[in-house]
Amino acid sequence: MSYHFEFGWLLQYYPQIVKGIVITIELISIGGVLGILLGTFCAWVRALGPAWLKPVVAAYVELIRNTPFLIQLFFIFFGLPSLGLQLSELTAANLAMIVNLGAYSCEIIRAGIQATPKGQFEAGASLAMTPFETFRHVVLVPSLQRIWPALSSQVVIVMLGSSVVSQIAAEDLTFAANFIQSRTFRAFEAYIVSTALYLALAILLRQLLMVAGGFIFPRRLVR
Amino acid sequence: MIEFTLWDILRNLLLATRWTVLLSLVSFIGGGTVGLGLLFLRISKRKSLRALAKYYIELFQGTPLLMQLFIAFFGLGLFGIDVPAWLAAGLALILWAAAFLAEIWRGCVEAVAKGQWEASSSLGMGRLQQMRYVILPQALRVAVPPTVGFSVQVVKGTALTSIIGFVELSKAGTVVTNATFQPFTVYGLVALIYFALCWPLSKSSQILERKLNVAHRNH
């Protein structure tokens, strides 16, 4: 083996790496929050929403879950301008992540809603709440609490999947790695370091979501 | 300038689809084989082997598949090994799929009641015999739906191999777009072809889950 590792090369490129990390964190923050909101809305439609909207949401969920994220990204970034909708790299990346997470979290949250005992809905109705009020005040929070671990995993998966946004020249962590690789030809070092950074980000994000879950759902779930 | 009809575009995409299908099959079968080995390590009696499998799984689940592809493709090349794109793609996808399948199957093995281990061990069975005759047949029935479901992730995962230059459906989409300047149509069609590959798998996973669950309830 004649190859010598030289990680020193990477040091002079640390501004790119830091910028890449910041953009990856920005992407998952915006994509995570808006994606879960979209997923919650879709889950409400699929479980309790108006009948005419159900097939639309079902088609959206099936279409997104059965196509690669890369193609969704390309379609949004390269395809939508044909319809006169030109988006910047970061906006397109964010939109793709929201749309992607929205579909996955819809199914996860719906599972939580379906696991809600029927008596909860009846209790809400007996307090003269409308179905939407019952959903908002009675059903939603315990449902989210039930599926929080699965939802957290999905957010981490979407964060890792975001590495492909470098393909539309959004300057995330992978973009930084590619940049360094093309300047130094130190591919192994560049990719090992960025892979390690992704691993650290994934572990941090998982911990953060667990702690956040403790704050959002302070009461223990009564079964 | 040459005009491309819709049929020209679709034909070229479908020709590339066979590489997506082939790579998916190789990755799924290879990943299943390596994953089975990992599963045995993950539930072995030796603590060190269990830890080894656990770290392997966490490493591959905690890092982007794209990075794994890059390391296989660019990284190995630096050691003087000439790595063609298809080899790097296959290798990375197999190692990646193995981690996920091992973890899925571990859940299924753990779903088998603990008494089954004790009962089979009281019959004087060895560890391998227990797995072969008692645990795996029961775990298998739980494992089929999520395994079929994961095959969808494998098909979608192959799209990333276009980035290291393996010409499959996604890469063909990019090439055809560059020739036709019709990204909306081309990527729309690419998405539909992926959907046609993945949706039957998703659907059968759901159906299997319902069927096997019903069978389980009747026990």
Side-chain angles (χ1 to χ4, degrees), chain A residues 189-200:
Chain A
E189 285 92 334
Y191 291 131
I192 282 184
V193 167
S194 46
T195 303
L197 289 171
Y198 269 112
L199 186 61

Side-chain angles (χ1 to χ4, degrees), chain A residues 1-3 5 59 62-71 74-75 78-80 82-83 104 107 156-157 159-161 163-164 166-167 173-174 177-178 181 185-192 194-196 198-200 202, chain B residues 58-68 70-72 74-76 78-79 100 152-153 155-157 159-160 162-163 169-170 174 177 181-185 187-188 190-192 194-196 198-203 206:
Chain A
M1 220 181 269
S2 58
Y3 191 78
F5 285 102
E62 290 292 312
L63 200 60
I64 295 300
R65 278 161 49 99
N66 288 299
T67 51
F69 177 64
L70 183 66
I71 298 300
F74 281 174
F75 187 79
F78 297 119
L80 288 190
S82 313
L83 300 183
Y104 281 94
E107 286 308 276
V156 173
I157 289 172
M159 189 276 284
L160 295 175
S163 62
V164 305
S166 57
Q167 292 306 303
L173 182 51
T174 307
N178 283 333
Q181 193 268 136
F185 300 107
R186 292 269 157 197
F188 216 22
E189 285 92 334
Y191 291 131
I192 282 184
S194 46
T195 303
Y198 269 112
L199 186 61
Chain B
E58 280 187 6
L59 184 65
F60 278 82
Q61 289 193 341
T63 57
L65 175 57
L66 183 58
M67 283 293 156
Q68 298 164 21
F70 278 152
I71 289 178
F74 293 106
L76 292 179
L78 292 180
F79 290 104
F100 280 83
V152 175
Q153 307 297 326
V155 176
K156 291 191 295 179
L160 295 193
S162 64
I163 298 172
L169 182 50
S170 296
T174 307
T177 301
F181 305 110
Q182 298 181 32
F184 189 81
T185 315
Y187 287 121
V190 169
L192 284 181
Y194 273 112
F195 183 78
C198 294
W199 193 70
L201 291 169
S202 300
K203 212 66 203 164
Q206 282 170 17

Side-chain angles (χ1 to χ4, degrees), chain A residues 60-140:
Chain A
Y60 154 68
V61 169
E62 290 292 312
L63 200 60
I64 295 300
R65 278 161 49 99
N66 288 299
T67 51
F69 177 64
L70 183 66
I71 298 300
Q72 294 159 17
L73 186 71
F74 281 174
F75 187 79
I76 288 175
F77 187 66
F78 297 119
L80 288 190
S82 313
L83 300 183
L85 192 63
Q86 181 91 50
L87 302 168
S88 74
E89 296 87 17
L90 277 181
T91 316
N94 256 323
L95 185 62
M97 285 172 78
I98 294 166
V99 166
N100 190 273
L101 182 61
Y104 281 94
S105 56
C106 167
E107 286 308 276
I108 296 172
I109 296 168
R110 187 166 74 124
I113 295 173
Q114 279 173 345
T116 306
K118 219 176 156 217
Q120 297 286 325
F121 291 98
E122 289 160 0
S126 74
L127 291 173
M129 285 180 172
T130 65
F132 186 77
E133 282 173 335
T134 310
F135 176 75
R136 162 78 189 77
H137 297 289
V138 182
V139 176
L140 182 59

